[in-house]
Amino acid sequence: MGYTRIPFRRGALPAFGTALVLLGVAACSGSGSGSGSDSGPQTVTLWVASPTEAFTTNLVNAYNKTHKNQVKVTGIPDDGFLQKVGTAAGAHALPDIVVSDVVYMPNYTSKGVFLDLTNRIKALPFAGGIAPAHIAAGTWNGKEYGIPHKLASSVLFYNKTLFKKAGLDPDKPPANFTELLADAKAIRALGPDTYGFDFGGNCGGCTAYTMFPYMWAGGVDVLAEQGKKANFDNDTVKQVFALYKQLWDAGVMPSNAMTQDGSTWANNFESGNVGMMAQGSAIVGALQKQDSFDWGVAHLMAPDGSGGSTFVGGDSAAISASSEHADAAWDFLQWTLQEQQQVDIVAKNGDLPVRTDLAGNQYTAKDPRTKFIMDGVATGKTPFALPFGQAFNDPTGPWIAMVRGAVFGAKPDDAVKTGQQTIQSALDSAQ
């Protein structure tokens, strides 16, 4: 979430523990009316978590060069971001703009932390082309509070060079779980230092980011009713965990998959020693720069191959309810969404544009692999749950406990049953 926030956003989603509870007392009075009292050049303040700081700064620098209003960026260490935002919200001391991991938007919006942007967003001539999953994640009680700032989408990456060496068709990635397991075993047979599959087995955010899409593709809404109902104790979810357990038990994964906390999540695949890995689009830039192996992408599929899905992670941007420069803040945010910026700054740099109507831009479309990833954003999903941090990103939370029990444990069904109960309890307590 990431990272919905780690390397997927780098690549995945972060684990922040219980810092989100601070937002329980962080509701703002909404002193920022939204009409703004801006007169003359304004300085707009913006907070962003450190992994996204460079991306944001590129946009800010371009804006500041061409506008009288100026935006001042403050990067916040990733592991302290939630706590800092929660504390500042409680003191009505937030910056004008907060750029946050998209999975935390429901927590913020439900507490009144952000300004209602519904009318501003709907007035944009390209409103229908803005990444729908991000808009949905930032919507509370029918009102829209955030826009996408940076996108990251999860897909199955595969090493075409290893496929060919293993006698597999490099242009035919696995279409279902049976083929994925068979392909992984064939690649593992190439030698002791070559593995068929890899994953972040001790990382809540990484596994949510890459396992949820299999479940969605199989027709299961794992967080139904706007994040009020957990739906994990079912055959489809068990099939997803069973695949990973088979991969692990067959020895086709490197041993550090069990302890991988997300910090070096993509390294084994990027080194060329792994045949397949569900990962985030944030690694595309690094893959495009290397020339040691060829690679491809495929959907994260339903167990029987009947469909595919993606977790649309990354960051959303919102204006704090207490902002005194709402109009100036919005001027910057809507500017970032315009075609020129999305194409010449975002897409040119190898990132995904946040507008589906720009999927065919010259930079994204020149590589069919990035075009494939971008096309999935139109129908991809972002999970909606108030306690996403505690339930799914926390390294001691119920989601990762269920994953580890189901993949590495001796009683996977028991792990799923317990996980269902503890995740539901977390959802209930957050309402």
Side-chain angles (χ1 to χ4, degrees):
M1 29 108 179
Y3 23 66
T4 205
R5 187 188 205 80
I6 313 185
F8 89 57
R9 208 172 154 151
R10 295 79 58 163
L13 304 158
F16 292 142
T18 58
L20 284 173
V21 299
L22 291 171
L23 288 175
V25 295
C28 293
S29 63
S31 57
S33 66
S35 59
S37 56
D38 302 347
S39 58
Q42 303 291 321
T43 297
V44 174
T45 53
L46 181 155
W47 286 0
V48 59
S50 52
T52 307
E53 184 177 359
F55 174 90
T56 303
T57 299
N58 284 340
L59 285 166
V60 167
N61 287 345
Y63 179 85
N64 287 347
K65 288 179 182 178
T66 55
H67 291 75
K68 291 182 179 179
N69 290 341
Q70 297 289 284
V71 179
K72 181 181 179 181
V73 176
T74 299
I76 310 296
D78 208 21
D79 57 1
F81 187 81
L82 287 172
Q83 182 172 356
K84 187 172 181 65
V85 170
T87 301
H92 305 288
L94 283 170
D96 297 300
I97 297 173
V98 176
V99 173
S100 167
D101 194 307
V102 63
V103 296
Y104 297 122
M105 287 297 288
N107 190 285
Y108 295 135
T109 58
S110 66
K111 302 298 190 295
V113 172
F114 296 143
L115 193 69
D116 178 5
L117 301 177
T118 308
N119 292 336
R120 297 176 189 257
I121 294 172
K122 291 186 181 301
L124 295 171
F126 46 79
I130 301 174
H134 270 235
I135 294 296
T139 299
W140 183 258
N141 288 337
K143 297 180 179 180
E144 299 173 1
Y145 292 90
I147 62 165
H149 181 69
K150 183 179 182 183
L151 292 190
S153 188
S154 54
V155 294
L156 180 71
F157 288 85
Y158 71 103
N159 185 317
K160 289 188 172 186
T161 301
L162 291 181
F163 263 60
K164 188 173 182 179
K165 287 182 179 179
L168 304 170
D169 185 344
D171 296 318
K172 187 175 179 293
N176 54 50
F177 282 11
T178 299
E179 292 182 7
L180 194 155
L181 180 61
D183 290 351
K185 289 180 177 179
I187 292 168
R188 180 70 176 110
L190 290 174
D193 298 323
T194 303
Y195 297 90
F197 198 84
D198 196 8
F199 86 124
N202 197 30
C203 172
C206 310
T207 48
Y209 184 53
T210 53
M211 286 183 165
F212 279 14
Y214 297 118
M215 301 167 190
W216 292 331
V220 176
D221 186 358
V222 293
L223 291 169
E225 299 176 11
Q226 284 275 280
K228 295 179 180 178
K229 182 181 179 181
N231 192 12
F232 293 96
D233 193 1
N234 57 72
D235 288 342
T236 297
V237 171
K238 290 178 181 178
Q239 286 180 69
V240 174
F241 290 142
L243 169 66
Y244 277 65
K245 184 170 182 59
Q246 288 176 295
L247 291 164
W248 176 255
D249 289 346
V252 303
M253 289 200 247
S255 60
N256 68 354
M258 178 183 278
T259 57
Q260 177 55 255
D261 63 0
S263 57
T264 57
W265 185 25
N267 287 10
N268 289 331
F269 184 83
E270 291 179 354
S271 70
N273 297 323
V274 169
M276 292 172 285
M277 190 174 194
Q279 250 285 357
S281 55
I283 71 170
V284 167
L287 292 176
Q288 288 176 325
K289 293 175 183 176
Q290 60 80 35
D291 57 6
S292 59
F293 65 92
D294 192 13
W295 55 278
V297 291
H299 290 300
L300 292 171
M301 73 294 285
D304 63 0
S306 59
S309 190
T310 183
F311 185 133
V312 184
D315 302 273
S316 287
I319 299 173
S320 64
S322 57
S323 171
E324 296 182 357
H325 306 301
D327 287 341
W330 177 249
D331 184 69
F332 168 70
L333 292 184
Q334 63 83 25
W335 176 88
T336 67
L337 298 176
Q338 293 174 11
E339 181 174 357
Q340 183 175 352
Q341 286 66 252
Q342 285 296 310
V343 173
D344 294 340
I345 298 177
V346 176
K348 186 177 182 179
N349 192 51
D351 292 297
L352 301 179
V354 302
R355 287 171 48 185
T356 57
D357 59 325
L358 299 178
N361 75 80
Q362 59 181 317
Y363 302 107
T364 302
K366 72 178 181 180
D367 187 332
R369 298 169 297 191
T370 56
K371 181 63 165 56
F372 177 90
I373 296 172
M374 184 63 211
D375 286 343
V377 171
T379 56
K381 296 183 179 182
T382 301
F384 191 104
L386 297 185
F388 200 94
Q390 302 100 305
F392 298 98
N393 283 351
D394 192 321
T396 61
W399 161 256
I400 191 60
M402 177 170 63
V403 171
R404 292 180 61 78
V407 175
F408 304 120
K411 298 180 178 180
D413 285 352
D414 289 350
V416 172
K417 183 177 181 179
T418 300
Q420 166 69 28
Q421 294 171 344
T422 52
I423 291 173
Q424 185 61 59
S425 178
L427 298 179
D428 290 341
S429 65
Q431 303 305 318

